Amino acid sequence: MLRTIGLMSGTSLDGVDAAYLETDGETIARLGPRLTLPYDPKLRRALRALLDRAETLRDDDPELLDAVKRLTDRHAEAVEALGLDADLIGFHGQTILHRPPVAGRNITPFTWQVGDAVSLARRTGMTVAYDFRSADVAAGGQGAPLVPVFHRALAAPLPKPLAILNLGGVGNVTWLGPDGEMLAFDTGPANGPLDDWARQHTGKDYDAAGKLALAGQADGAVLGRLMSHPYLTAPPPKSLDRLDFDRALKEAGAAELSAADGAATLCAFCAVCVAAAARLFPEPPLQWLVAGGGRRNPAIMKALAGALEEPVRPVEVAGWDGDALEAQAFGLLAARVARKLPITFPGTTGVPRPLVGGRILGSLL
């Protein structure tokens, strides 16, 4: 068993999650303390600006270098705040651009996660596993999602089929079959567009407790136009960049809605995307367990309950911590990298065969 600290900064850009666990990469011996360190508004704005410029951004851009330094420092502070010795850190960094392969489109696949693993290893004095996605994309995979193998380990005692839904900036789902099968892919937009909408209309970083959305009504015409997006019916493997639906939202007329109706429509669209994902499963799940910030939004959870036929519950009903799962996942993935075990699979990213990925800085000896 390795003592690991997993770190995750997701597409919501709200902060860094850190979680301790003990694992051999296949089973989980202990889930330990976890914490979240929010980003200050200046860093959050800087990261959001990088997303908008990522297509033309250079590696030596001064604003990028400054944001990466502050991002890495915040990750190191999270490790230090846990105050625990560990053998290994799983450092995902921050995705600022994700361009996976798409059938029928002549694009060069590319995924870009920023963060200074060398600086993190030096400051913490720990071995760091990082760069979890590049090898998968280079081998023809989507590079995402990465968490399914952790979901499989965590959910080992639960009845199957089971769907585990994570609602961050983008939604992703893992379907687990009774014989260890894994199918996983991004469902569509989740908190990302809603956070941007709340910031634009209220000046706040997100729609706290879904109050804005609950005060409005989903616009059927806008929702209908969004539901025609080809991503929703495309077969997996498939994954998204945080901004992939921005153009579709503009063309659907979302910007013309009131603040409350726009928020309600975005919540409804998140649920519609998940319902479309469910139609791609080999068989219906017995239940949906929901993680990520989206589970705290009553408007989203209400929309999911109305869109899905099976019970929809937060992951806490299974005894899990829905704010820690992705950070915990990168602790397990770090152990798999160290042990040279596959981290992506044909059913999760579409890679041709189970693939060992990631890189290691330091020694576990």
Side-chain angles (χ1 to χ4, degrees), residues 58-351:
R58 292 170 55 94
D59 288 348
D60 60 355
D61 184 286
E63 293 181 7
L64 172 64
L65 296 176
D66 178 67
V68 167
K69 181 183 184 305
R70 288 189 285 138
L71 175 88
T72 305
D73 286 346
R74 198 60 170 153
H75 280 68
E77 290 165 6
V79 172
E80 292 162 358
L82 273 181
L84 298 169
D85 290 328
D87 304 303
L88 183 61
I89 293 172
F91 178 43
H92 173 265
Q94 179 68 56
T95 298
I96 63 169
L97 181 64
H98 185 66
R99 286 286 176 263
V102 178
R105 288 179 58 188
N106 185 23
I107 62 171
T108 301
F110 182 68
T111 190
W112 190 3
Q113 288 74 45
V114 299
D116 188 345
V118 173
S119 175
L120 182 65
R122 184 179 297 124
R123 177 164 168 175
T124 62
M126 298 180 192
T127 299
V128 175
Y130 68 108
D131 191 19
F132 293 92
R133 300 187 189 273
S134 296
D136 183 86
V137 171
Q142 293 281 306
L146 294 177
V147 295
V149 69
F150 168 73
H151 287 159
R152 185 173 66 181
L154 191 63
L158 298 183
K160 313 291 189 310
L162 172 68
I164 303 170
L165 176 67
N166 181 71
L167 295 178
V170 169
N172 59 72
V173 67
T174 300
W175 179 90
L176 299 172
D179 297 317
E181 311 99 309
M182 292 187 295
L183 177 67
F185 52 93
D186 288 346
T187 59
N191 296 327
L194 183 60
D195 290 348
D196 291 344
W197 183 268
R199 195 173 301 112
Q200 177 185 351
H201 289 85
T202 70
K204 300 183 182 300
D205 286 334
Y206 62 98
D207 181 16
K211 290 182 179 179
L212 185 63
L214 290 171
Q217 294 289 328
D219 186 283
V222 172
L223 193 58
R225 289 190 284 271
L226 289 171
M227 288 169 60
S228 68
H229 197 287
Y231 183 86
L232 300 186
T233 53
K238 55 181 180 176
S239 62
L240 290 167
D241 182 79
R242 187 188 188 278
L243 304 183
D244 275 348
F245 273 77
D246 275 16
R247 180 177 176 182
L249 288 165
K250 292 175 183 176
E251 293 177 348
E256 300 170 13
L257 301 177
S258 69
D261 289 352
T265 302
L266 291 173
C267 289
F269 185 48
C270 171
V272 166
C273 291
V274 175
R279 292 192 284 272
L280 302 175
F281 294 166
E283 58 180 302
L286 299 175
Q287 65 173 328
W288 291 77
L289 297 178
V290 186
R295 81 192 192 289
R296 297 190 182 280
N297 186 319
I300 290 179
M301 293 299 284
K302 180 180 179 180
L304 285 172
L308 300 171
E309 297 180 2
E310 302 81 21
V312 180
R313 304 181 177 99
V315 296
E316 280 74 12
V317 301
W320 305 345
D321 183 341
D323 294 322
L325 289 196
E326 288 210 309
Q328 291 168 345
F330 281 94
L332 181 134
L333 289 167
R336 292 185 72 87
V337 172
R339 294 191 58 205
K340 296 182 170 54
L341 295 171
I343 63 172
T344 56
F345 305 83
T348 64
T349 68
V351 74

